Amino acid sequence: MSENVKDTTPTASVPAEVWVARKRNNVRLAWAFGGVAIFLFVMALWKLRPM
C-alpha cells in the first residue's frame, strides 16, 4: 500500500463514541439532502405538468 493513501480508520485519539455520532449525523444529513432533492424534483414535475 502506498504511503500517500490516507488511513480512514478511527485512531485512538478520537473515542469510538465520536465516530458513532459522526456516522449518525452523516446519515441524518444524507436523508436531509435526499429529501430536498426529491422535493425539488417533485416541484419541477409540478411546475412542468400539462395544463
Side-chain angles (χ1 to χ4, degrees):
M1 196 155 125
S2 175
E3 291 81 22
N4 296 339
V5 177
K6 290 185 177 180
D7 187 16
T8 58
T9 57
T11 60
S13 63
V14 179
E17 295 83 22
V18 173
W19 288 103
V20 171
R22 287 179 182 177
K23 184 177 180 181
R24 184 175 55 246
N25 289 336
N26 285 343
V27 169
R28 188 178 301 149
L29 185 63
W31 276 107
F33 276 117
V36 169
I38 290 172
F39 175 76
L40 291 175
F41 179 73
V42 169
M43 287 295 101
L45 289 178
W46 183 261
K47 178 77 174 164
L48 296 175
R49 74 188 190 283
M51 294 282 182

Short mmCIF file of all heavy atoms in Angstrom, two decimals:
data_model
loop_
_atom_site.label_atom_id
_atom_site.label_comp_id
_atom_site.label_asym_id
_atom_site.label_seq_id
_atom_site.Cartn_x
_atom_site.Cartn_y
_atom_site.Cartn_z
N MET A 1 0.85 -1.18 0.00
CA MET A 1 0.00 0.00 0.00
C MET A 1 0.89 1.23 0.00
O MET A 1 1.92 1.27 0.63
CB MET A 1 -0.91 -0.02 1.23
CG MET A 1 -2.05 0.93 1.13
SD MET A 1 -3.38 0.34 2.19
CE MET A 1 -3.62 1.76 3.19
N SER A 2 0.48 2.24 -0.72
CA SER A 2 1.28 3.45 -0.86
C SER A 2 1.21 4.30 0.40
O SER A 2 0.22 4.30 1.13
CB SER A 2 0.76 4.26 -2.06
OG SER A 2 1.43 5.49 -2.13
N GLU A 3 2.28 5.05 0.66
CA GLU A 3 2.30 5.93 1.81
C GLU A 3 1.42 7.16 1.59
O GLU A 3 1.07 7.86 2.53
CB GLU A 3 3.74 6.40 2.11
CG GLU A 3 4.63 5.30 2.63
CD GLU A 3 5.19 4.43 1.52
OE1 GLU A 3 5.25 4.88 0.36
OE2 GLU A 3 5.56 3.29 1.81
N ASN A 4 1.07 7.46 0.35
CA ASN A 4 0.26 8.63 0.05
C ASN A 4 -1.22 8.42 0.34
O ASN A 4 -1.98 9.37 0.40
CB ASN A 4 0.43 9.03 -1.42
CG ASN A 4 1.85 9.47 -1.72
OD1 ASN A 4 2.60 9.85 -0.82
ND2 ASN A 4 2.24 9.41 -2.97
N VAL A 5 -1.63 7.18 0.51
CA VAL A 5 -3.03 6.87 0.78
C VAL A 5 -3.30 7.11 2.25
O VAL A 5 -2.61 6.59 3.12
CB VAL A 5 -3.36 5.40 0.41
CG1 VAL A 5 -4.79 5.07 0.77
CG2 VAL A 5 -3.10 5.17 -1.06
N LYS A 6 -4.33 7.91 2.53
CA LYS A 6 -4.67 8.20 3.92
C LYS A 6 -5.42 7.03 4.53
O LYS A 6 -6.26 6.41 3.89
CB LYS A 6 -5.53 9.47 4.01
CG LYS A 6 -4.78 10.73 3.69
CD LYS A 6 -5.66 11.92 3.93
CE LYS A 6 -4.89 13.21 3.66
NZ LYS A 6 -5.70 14.39 3.89
N ASP A 7 -5.12 6.76 5.77
CA ASP A 7 -5.82 5.73 6.51
C ASP A 7 -7.08 6.33 7.10
O ASP A 7 -7.03 7.30 7.84
CB ASP A 7 -4.91 5.20 7.62
CG ASP A 7 -5.51 3.99 8.31
OD1 ASP A 7 -6.47 3.41 7.76
OD2 ASP A 7 -5.03 3.64 9.40
N THR A 8 -8.25 5.77 6.76
CA THR A 8 -9.52 6.35 7.20
C THR A 8 -10.09 5.64 8.42
O THR A 8 -11.20 5.93 8.84
CB THR A 8 -10.56 6.30 6.07
OG1 THR A 8 -10.71 4.94 5.67
CG2 THR A 8 -10.12 7.14 4.89
N THR A 9 -9.35 4.71 9.00
CA THR A 9 -9.85 4.03 10.19
C THR A 9 -9.74 4.96 11.40
O THR A 9 -8.85 5.80 11.46
CB THR A 9 -9.07 2.74 10.47
OG1 THR A 9 -7.69 3.06 10.60
CG2 THR A 9 -9.24 1.75 9.33
N PRO A 10 -10.65 4.81 12.35
CA PRO A 10 -10.57 5.67 13.54
C PRO A 10 -9.27 5.45 14.30
O PRO A 10 -8.78 4.33 14.40
CB PRO A 10 -11.75 5.21 14.39
CG PRO A 10 -12.64 4.48 13.47
CD PRO A 10 -11.79 3.93 12.37
N THR A 11 -8.73 6.52 14.79
CA THR A 11 -7.50 6.41 15.56
C THR A 11 -7.82 6.42 17.04
O THR A 11 -8.93 6.72 17.45
CB THR A 11 -6.56 7.60 15.23
OG1 THR A 11 -7.23 8.80 15.56
CG2 THR A 11 -6.20 7.61 13.76
N ALA A 12 -6.81 6.12 17.84
CA ALA A 12 -7.01 6.06 19.28
C ALA A 12 -7.24 7.45 19.87
O ALA A 12 -7.74 7.58 20.98
CB ALA A 12 -5.80 5.41 19.94
N SER A 13 -6.88 8.51 19.12
CA SER A 13 -7.04 9.86 19.66
C SER A 13 -8.49 10.32 19.67
O SER A 13 -8.82 11.28 20.36
CB SER A 13 -6.19 10.84 18.86
OG SER A 13 -6.63 10.90 17.53
N VAL A 14 -9.34 9.66 18.91
CA VAL A 14 -10.76 10.02 18.86
C VAL A 14 -11.57 8.85 19.39
O VAL A 14 -11.46 7.74 18.88
CB VAL A 14 -11.20 10.35 17.41
CG1 VAL A 14 -12.67 10.71 17.38
CG2 VAL A 14 -10.36 11.47 16.84
N PRO A 15 -12.37 9.07 20.42
CA PRO A 15 -13.15 7.97 21.01
C PRO A 15 -14.15 7.38 20.02
O PRO A 15 -14.63 8.05 19.09
CB PRO A 15 -13.88 8.63 22.18
CG PRO A 15 -13.19 9.91 22.43
CD PRO A 15 -12.55 10.32 21.15
N ALA A 16 -14.49 6.13 20.22
CA ALA A 16 -15.43 5.43 19.34
C ALA A 16 -16.80 6.10 19.36
O ALA A 16 -17.50 6.10 18.34
CB ALA A 16 -15.55 3.97 19.76
N GLU A 17 -17.19 6.68 20.49
CA GLU A 17 -18.50 7.34 20.58
C GLU A 17 -18.58 8.51 19.61
O GLU A 17 -19.64 8.80 19.05
CB GLU A 17 -18.76 7.84 22.00
CG GLU A 17 -18.87 6.75 23.03
CD GLU A 17 -17.51 6.30 23.55
OE1 GLU A 17 -16.53 7.08 23.45
OE2 GLU A 17 -17.41 5.16 24.02
N VAL A 18 -17.46 9.19 19.42
CA VAL A 18 -17.44 10.33 18.49
C VAL A 18 -17.67 9.83 17.07
O VAL A 18 -18.41 10.44 16.30
CB VAL A 18 -16.12 11.11 18.61
CG1 VAL A 18 -16.02 12.19 17.55
CG2 VAL A 18 -15.99 11.71 20.00
N TRP A 19 -17.05 8.71 16.71
CA TRP A 19 -17.22 8.17 15.36
C TRP A 19 -18.66 7.71 15.15
O TRP A 19 -19.22 7.88 14.07
CB TRP A 19 -16.25 7.01 15.12
CG TRP A 19 -14.85 7.49 14.97
CD1 TRP A 19 -13.86 7.42 15.89
CD2 TRP A 19 -14.29 8.16 13.83
NE1 TRP A 19 -12.72 8.00 15.40
CE2 TRP A 19 -12.95 8.45 14.14
CE3 TRP A 19 -14.79 8.53 12.58
CZ2 TRP A 19 -12.10 9.10 13.25
CZ3 TRP A 19 -13.94 9.17 11.70
CH2 TRP A 19 -12.62 9.45 12.03
N VAL A 20 -19.27 7.14 16.17
CA VAL A 20 -20.66 6.71 16.07
C VAL A 20 -21.56 7.93 15.87
O VAL A 20 -22.47 7.92 15.03
CB VAL A 20 -21.08 5.90 17.32
CG1 VAL A 20 -22.57 5.65 17.35
CG2 VAL A 20 -20.30 4.60 17.38
N ALA A 21 -21.30 8.99 16.61
CA ALA A 21 -22.11 10.21 16.48
C ALA A 21 -21.92 10.83 15.10
O ALA A 21 -22.88 11.30 14.49
CB ALA A 21 -21.72 11.22 17.56
N ARG A 22 -20.69 10.83 14.61
CA ARG A 22 -20.44 11.38 13.27
C ARG A 22 -21.16 10.58 12.21
O ARG A 22 -21.75 11.15 11.28
CB ARG A 22 -18.94 11.38 12.98
CG ARG A 22 -18.17 12.43 13.74
CD ARG A 22 -16.70 12.35 13.41
NE ARG A 22 -15.93 13.32 14.17
CZ ARG A 22 -14.62 13.43 14.12
NH1 ARG A 22 -13.91 12.64 13.33
NH2 ARG A 22 -13.99 14.34 14.84
N LYS A 23 -21.12 9.25 12.33
CA LYS A 23 -21.80 8.41 11.35
C LYS A 23 -23.30 8.66 11.37
O LYS A 23 -23.94 8.77 10.33
CB LYS A 23 -21.50 6.94 11.63
CG LYS A 23 -22.08 6.00 10.61
CD LYS A 23 -21.70 4.56 10.90
CE LYS A 23 -22.30 3.64 9.86
NZ LYS A 23 -21.98 2.24 10.11
N ARG A 24 -23.87 8.75 12.60
CA ARG A 24 -25.31 9.02 12.73
C ARG A 24 -25.67 10.37 12.11
O ARG A 24 -26.66 10.50 11.40
CB ARG A 24 -25.70 8.97 14.20
CG ARG A 24 -27.17 9.12 14.45
CD ARG A 24 -27.54 8.95 15.91
NE ARG A 24 -26.80 9.86 16.78
CZ ARG A 24 -25.90 9.47 17.69
NH1 ARG A 24 -25.64 8.20 17.86
NH2 ARG A 24 -25.27 10.35 18.43
N ASN A 25 -24.83 11.37 12.35
CA ASN A 25 -25.10 12.69 11.79
C ASN A 25 -24.94 12.70 10.27
O ASN A 25 -25.67 13.40 9.57
CB ASN A 25 -24.17 13.74 12.42
CG ASN A 25 -24.54 14.02 13.86
OD1 ASN A 25 -25.68 13.81 14.26
ND2 ASN A 25 -23.57 14.48 14.62
N ASN A 26 -24.00 11.90 9.76
CA ASN A 26 -23.83 11.82 8.30
C ASN A 26 -25.05 11.16 7.66
O ASN A 26 -25.50 11.59 6.58
CB ASN A 26 -22.57 11.03 7.95
CG ASN A 26 -21.32 11.83 8.19
OD1 ASN A 26 -21.36 13.06 8.31
ND2 ASN A 26 -20.19 11.15 8.27
N VAL A 27 -25.60 10.15 8.31
CA VAL A 27 -26.81 9.51 7.78
C VAL A 27 -27.97 10.49 7.81
O VAL A 27 -28.74 10.60 6.84
CB VAL A 27 -27.13 8.23 8.59
CG1 VAL A 27 -28.51 7.69 8.24
CG2 VAL A 27 -26.06 7.18 8.36
N ARG A 28 -28.10 11.24 8.90
CA ARG A 28 -29.16 12.24 9.01
C ARG A 28 -29.00 13.31 7.92
O ARG A 28 -29.98 13.72 7.29
CB ARG A 28 -29.11 12.89 10.39
CG ARG A 28 -30.28 13.80 10.66
CD ARG A 28 -30.20 14.36 12.07
NE ARG A 28 -30.19 13.28 13.05
CZ ARG A 28 -29.57 13.35 14.22
NH1 ARG A 28 -28.91 14.42 14.57
NH2 ARG A 28 -29.62 12.33 15.06
N LEU A 29 -27.78 13.74 7.67
CA LEU A 29 -27.51 14.73 6.63
C LEU A 29 -27.85 14.17 5.24
O LEU A 29 -28.42 14.88 4.41
CB LEU A 29 -26.05 15.15 6.70
CG LEU A 29 -25.60 16.28 5.77
CD1 LEU A 29 -26.34 17.58 6.11
CD2 LEU A 29 -24.10 16.47 5.87
N ALA A 30 -27.52 12.91 5.02
CA ALA A 30 -27.84 12.29 3.73
C ALA A 30 -29.34 12.23 3.51
O ALA A 30 -29.84 12.50 2.40
CB ALA A 30 -27.23 10.89 3.67
N TRP A 31 -30.10 11.87 4.55
CA TRP A 31 -31.56 11.85 4.45
C TRP A 31 -32.11 13.24 4.15
O TRP A 31 -33.04 13.40 3.35
CB TRP A 31 -32.20 11.30 5.71
CG TRP A 31 -32.25 9.80 5.75
CD1 TRP A 31 -31.50 8.98 6.50
CD2 TRP A 31 -33.12 8.95 4.97
NE1 TRP A 31 -31.83 7.67 6.27
CE2 TRP A 31 -32.82 7.62 5.33
CE3 TRP A 31 -34.11 9.19 4.02
CZ2 TRP A 31 -33.47 6.54 4.76
CZ3 TRP A 31 -34.75 8.11 3.45
CH2 TRP A 31 -34.44 6.80 3.82
N ALA A 32 -31.53 14.25 4.79
CA ALA A 32 -31.99 15.63 4.57
C ALA A 32 -31.74 16.06 3.14
O ALA A 32 -32.63 16.62 2.48
CB ALA A 32 -31.30 16.58 5.54
N PHE A 33 -30.54 15.81 2.63
CA PHE A 33 -30.24 16.18 1.24
C PHE A 33 -31.09 15.38 0.26
O PHE A 33 -31.52 15.90 -0.77
CB PHE A 33 -28.75 15.99 0.93
CG PHE A 33 -27.92 17.17 1.34
CD1 PHE A 33 -26.94 17.04 2.31
CD2 PHE A 33 -28.10 18.42 0.75
CE1 PHE A 33 -26.17 18.12 2.69
CE2 PHE A 33 -27.33 19.50 1.12
CZ PHE A 33 -26.37 19.35 2.09
N GLY A 34 -31.31 14.10 0.57
CA GLY A 34 -32.18 13.29 -0.28
C GLY A 34 -33.60 13.82 -0.30
O GLY A 34 -34.24 13.87 -1.36
N GLY A 35 -34.09 14.24 0.86
CA GLY A 35 -35.43 14.83 0.92
C GLY A 35 -35.54 16.11 0.13
O GLY A 35 -36.53 16.34 -0.58
N VAL A 36 -34.51 16.95 0.22
CA VAL A 36 -34.50 18.20 -0.55
C VAL A 36 -34.47 17.89 -2.05
O VAL A 36 -35.20 18.52 -2.84
CB VAL A 36 -33.31 19.09 -0.15
CG1 VAL A 36 -33.12 20.24 -1.11
CG2 VAL A 36 -33.51 19.61 1.26
N ALA A 37 -33.67 16.92 -2.45
CA ALA A 37 -33.58 16.56 -3.88
C ALA A 37 -34.92 16.04 -4.39
O ALA A 37 -35.37 16.42 -5.48
CB ALA A 37 -32.49 15.52 -4.08
N ILE A 38 -35.58 15.18 -3.62
CA ILE A 38 -36.88 14.65 -4.04
C ILE A 38 -37.91 15.77 -4.07
O ILE A 38 -38.73 15.84 -5.01
CB ILE A 38 -37.32 13.50 -3.11
CG1 ILE A 38 -36.42 12.30 -3.34
CG2 ILE A 38 -38.78 13.14 -3.32
CD1 ILE A 38 -36.62 11.17 -2.36
N PHE A 39 -37.88 16.66 -3.09
CA PHE A 39 -38.81 17.79 -3.07
C PHE A 39 -38.62 18.67 -4.32
O PHE A 39 -39.61 19.04 -4.97
CB PHE A 39 -38.59 18.63 -1.81
CG PHE A 39 -39.42 19.88 -1.77
CD1 PHE A 39 -40.77 19.82 -1.48
CD2 PHE A 39 -38.85 21.11 -2.04
CE1 PHE A 39 -41.55 20.97 -1.46
CE2 PHE A 39 -39.60 22.27 -2.02
CZ PHE A 39 -40.96 22.21 -1.73
N LEU A 40 -37.38 18.98 -4.66
CA LEU A 40 -37.13 19.81 -5.85
C LEU A 40 -37.56 19.09 -7.12
O LEU A 40 -38.09 19.72 -8.04
CB LEU A 40 -35.64 20.17 -5.93
CG LEU A 40 -35.15 21.15 -4.86
CD1 LEU A 40 -33.65 21.33 -4.96
CD2 LEU A 40 -35.87 22.48 -4.98
N PHE A 41 -37.35 17.77 -7.18
CA PHE A 41 -37.77 17.01 -8.34
C PHE A 41 -39.30 17.04 -8.49
O PHE A 41 -39.83 17.28 -9.59
CB PHE A 41 -37.29 15.56 -8.20
CG PHE A 41 -37.70 14.67 -9.34
CD1 PHE A 41 -37.11 14.79 -10.57
CD2 PHE A 41 -38.68 13.71 -9.14
CE1 PHE A 41 -37.50 13.96 -11.62
CE2 PHE A 41 -39.07 12.88 -10.18
CZ PHE A 41 -38.47 13.02 -11.42
N VAL A 42 -40.01 16.84 -7.39
CA VAL A 42 -41.48 16.87 -7.44
C VAL A 42 -41.98 18.26 -7.81
O VAL A 42 -42.92 18.42 -8.59
CB VAL A 42 -42.07 16.38 -6.10
CG1 VAL A 42 -43.56 16.64 -6.02
CG2 VAL A 42 -41.76 14.90 -5.90
N MET A 43 -41.35 19.30 -7.26
CA MET A 43 -41.74 20.67 -7.61
C MET A 43 -41.50 20.97 -9.09
O MET A 43 -42.30 21.64 -9.74
CB MET A 43 -40.99 21.68 -6.74
CG MET A 43 -41.45 21.74 -5.31
SD MET A 43 -43.17 22.32 -5.13
CE MET A 43 -44.05 20.80 -4.88
N ALA A 44 -40.40 20.43 -9.64
CA ALA A 44 -40.13 20.62 -11.07
C ALA A 44 -41.19 19.91 -11.91
O ALA A 44 -41.66 20.45 -12.91
CB ALA A 44 -38.74 20.10 -11.42
N LEU A 45 -41.57 18.70 -11.50
CA LEU A 45 -42.63 18.00 -12.22
C LEU A 45 -43.95 18.75 -12.11
O LEU A 45 -44.71 18.85 -13.07
CB LEU A 45 -42.80 16.58 -11.67
CG LEU A 45 -41.70 15.59 -11.99
CD1 LEU A 45 -42.01 14.25 -11.33
CD2 LEU A 45 -41.54 15.41 -13.49
N TRP A 46 -44.24 19.29 -10.93
CA TRP A 46 -45.47 20.03 -10.72
C TRP A 46 -45.50 21.28 -11.60
O TRP A 46 -46.51 21.61 -12.19
CB TRP A 46 -45.60 20.41 -9.25
CG TRP A 46 -46.86 21.11 -8.91
CD1 TRP A 46 -47.03 22.43 -8.78
CD2 TRP A 46 -48.13 20.51 -8.68
NE1 TRP A 46 -48.34 22.72 -8.46
CE2 TRP A 46 -49.04 21.54 -8.40
CE3 TRP A 46 -48.59 19.19 -8.69
CZ2 TRP A 46 -50.38 21.31 -8.12
CZ3 TRP A 46 -49.91 18.96 -8.41
CH2 TRP A 46 -50.79 20.00 -8.14
N LYS A 47 -44.37 21.96 -11.69
CA LYS A 47 -44.29 23.19 -12.49
C LYS A 47 -44.46 22.89 -13.98
O LYS A 47 -45.02 23.68 -14.72
CB LYS A 47 -42.93 23.85 -12.22
CG LYS A 47 -42.67 25.10 -12.98
CD LYS A 47 -43.39 26.27 -12.40
CE LYS A 47 -42.98 27.54 -13.11
NZ LYS A 47 -43.89 28.62 -12.84
N LEU A 48 -43.94 21.74 -14.42
CA LEU A 48 -43.95 21.42 -15.84
C LEU A 48 -45.14 20.53 -16.25
O LEU A 48 -45.19 20.06 -17.38
CB LEU A 48 -42.64 20.70 -16.21
CG LEU A 48 -41.38 21.54 -16.04
CD1 LEU A 48 -40.15 20.67 -16.30
CD2 LEU A 48 -41.39 22.75 -16.95
N ARG A 49 -46.08 20.32 -15.34
CA ARG A 49 -47.21 19.46 -15.65
C ARG A 49 -48.06 20.06 -16.78
O ARG A 49 -48.18 21.28 -16.90
CB ARG A 49 -48.06 19.20 -14.41
CG ARG A 49 -48.89 20.39 -14.00
CD ARG A 49 -49.56 20.17 -12.66
NE ARG A 49 -50.54 21.18 -12.38
CZ ARG A 49 -50.27 22.41 -11.97
NH1 ARG A 49 -49.02 22.79 -11.80
NH2 ARG A 49 -51.22 23.28 -11.73
N PRO A 50 -48.66 19.22 -17.61
CA PRO A 50 -49.53 19.75 -18.67
C PRO A 50 -50.79 20.37 -18.07
O PRO A 50 -51.35 19.86 -17.11
CB PRO A 50 -49.88 18.52 -19.50
CG PRO A 50 -49.31 17.34 -18.83
CD PRO A 50 -48.50 17.79 -17.65
N MET A 51 -51.22 21.44 -18.64
CA MET A 51 -52.40 22.14 -18.14
C MET A 51 -53.66 21.59 -18.80
O MET A 51 -53.84 21.38 -19.87
CB MET A 51 -52.31 23.63 -18.46
CG MET A 51 -51.20 24.28 -17.71
SD MET A 51 -51.72 24.55 -16.03
CE MET A 51 -50.31 25.36 -15.38
#
